[in-house]
Amino acid sequence: MIQHSVEQISSGVEYVNEAGSAMTDIQNAVGRVTTIMADIRQASERQGNVAVEIDRAVGQMESVTQQNAALVEEAAAAAKSLESQTTDLRRSVGVFRLG
């Protein structure tokens, strides 16, 4: 009977050692998951910062595009005015004849 008890105690010690090893493995896995989650958080923050910068850049591009559109309208109006002035000048010069 003592021998049987010794065997059961030995078996129990083996189970405890296996459980301890499993707990160590679990603890290591949790550490790895924690590291991965921290990396994901940092990457998300960087992506958020990049998104803000992109939004800012798009806003600036929109502003420049609007300014360019206004300049194109001004240039078109100036060209039309020059065309009108050229027509008037031709009429005025056409009155004078050389020779």
Side-chain angles (χ1 to χ4, degrees):
M1 180 155 179
I2 293 176
Q3 180 63 29
H4 180 63
S5 294
V6 169
E7 288 173 3
Q8 284 185 334
I9 290 172
S10 280
S11 179
V13 168
E14 285 181 35
Y15 289 139
V16 167
N17 286 337
E18 288 175 10
S21 178
M23 293 294 274
T24 299
D25 291 345
I26 290 170
Q27 186 178 13
N28 290 337
V30 167
R32 288 190 301 271
V33 168
T34 300
T35 300
I36 290 169
M37 290 179 69
D39 291 345
I40 290 170
R41 181 186 53 80
Q42 289 175 350
S44 294
E45 286 176 1
R46 284 192 300 268
Q47 286 178 345
N49 292 338
V50 168
V52 168
E53 290 177 26
I54 289 171
D55 185 52
R56 205 174 291 140
V58 167
Q60 290 173 348
M61 288 172 53
E62 184 178 341
S63 175
V64 169
T65 299
Q66 290 175 356
Q67 290 172 0
N68 285 345
L71 290 173
V72 166
E73 286 180 22
E74 288 177 23
K80 190 166 188 144
S81 175
L82 284 174
E83 182 181 12
S84 176
Q85 290 175 10
T86 301
T87 302
D88 292 344
L89 186 59
R90 279 190 183 149
R91 282 189 203 134
S92 296
V93 171
V95 173
F96 301 101
R97 297 195 183 240
L98 295 175

